[in-house]
Amino acid sequence: MIDTLLLLIIREWIENNTADRLWATALNDPTILAALRTIHGRPEAAWTVESLAQSCGLSRATFASKFKNLVGMPPLTYLTWWRMTLAARELRTTDAPVGAVARRAGYTSDFAFTKAFKREFGVSPQGYRLQRRGNPSRR
């Protein structure tokens, strides 16, 4: 009985949350799942829409359209979001220099990384690190 209740709760949650519904659909699509695995496996790589499309056996246009429809954002927007998510975690949990974090996130320029990070989080990487470490409740 508890299993049935859990399934009903999960179904209701997904039906009422568009983003969650998109993710459930994206993860059930083998080609988009392959692209997500590629991005997550090597986020630092110099991915293009073309190279991601090739990694899952689709044309560039078909891949870009399908990815956006199922994930809710274009592939390179997702890649940037994922890189920034990983970088933010590293800034919170390590003392690695910002330049090293930038390179692991796929940026060859500290300036480009700082600009992208600031666009995503509204603060520089160093400012983010100081804020998150100074206020543990914001982690």
Side-chain angles (χ1 to χ4, degrees), residues 62-100:
T62 300
F63 168 72
S65 175
K66 191 173 192 178
F67 192 98
K68 186 173 192 289
N69 288 337
L70 295 180
V71 176
M73 63 183 83
L76 297 184
T77 301
Y78 178 83
L79 173 62
T80 300
W81 171 82
W82 181 241
R83 286 174 169 175
M84 293 299 108
T85 299
L86 295 175
R89 181 187 320 151
E90 190 170 353
L91 289 167
R92 281 191 316 269
T93 61
T94 73
D95 291 324
V98 171

Side-chain angles (χ1 to χ4, degrees), residues 6-84:
L6 179 61
L7 288 173
L8 290 172
I9 290 169
I10 291 171
R11 184 188 317 167
E12 181 69 24
W13 181 52
I14 289 173
E15 287 175 359
N16 290 315
N17 293 289
T18 305
D20 296 325
R21 190 170 43 250
L22 284 172
W23 271 104
T25 305
L27 294 176
N28 282 321
D29 184 284
T31 55
I32 299 307
L33 181 58
L36 290 169
R37 284 184 174 147
T38 298
I39 289 170
H40 286 242
R42 291 191 49 226
E44 76 288 349
W47 297 116
T48 63
V49 174
E50 182 69 33
S51 64
L52 288 168
Q54 287 175 352
S55 78
C56 58
L58 294 175
S59 73
R60 183 185 182 284
T62 300
F63 168 72
S65 175
K66 191 173 192 178
F67 192 98
K68 186 173 192 289
N69 288 337
L70 295 180
V71 176
M73 63 183 83
L76 297 184
T77 301
Y78 178 83
L79 173 62
T80 300
W81 171 82
W82 181 241
R83 286 174 169 175
M84 293 299 108

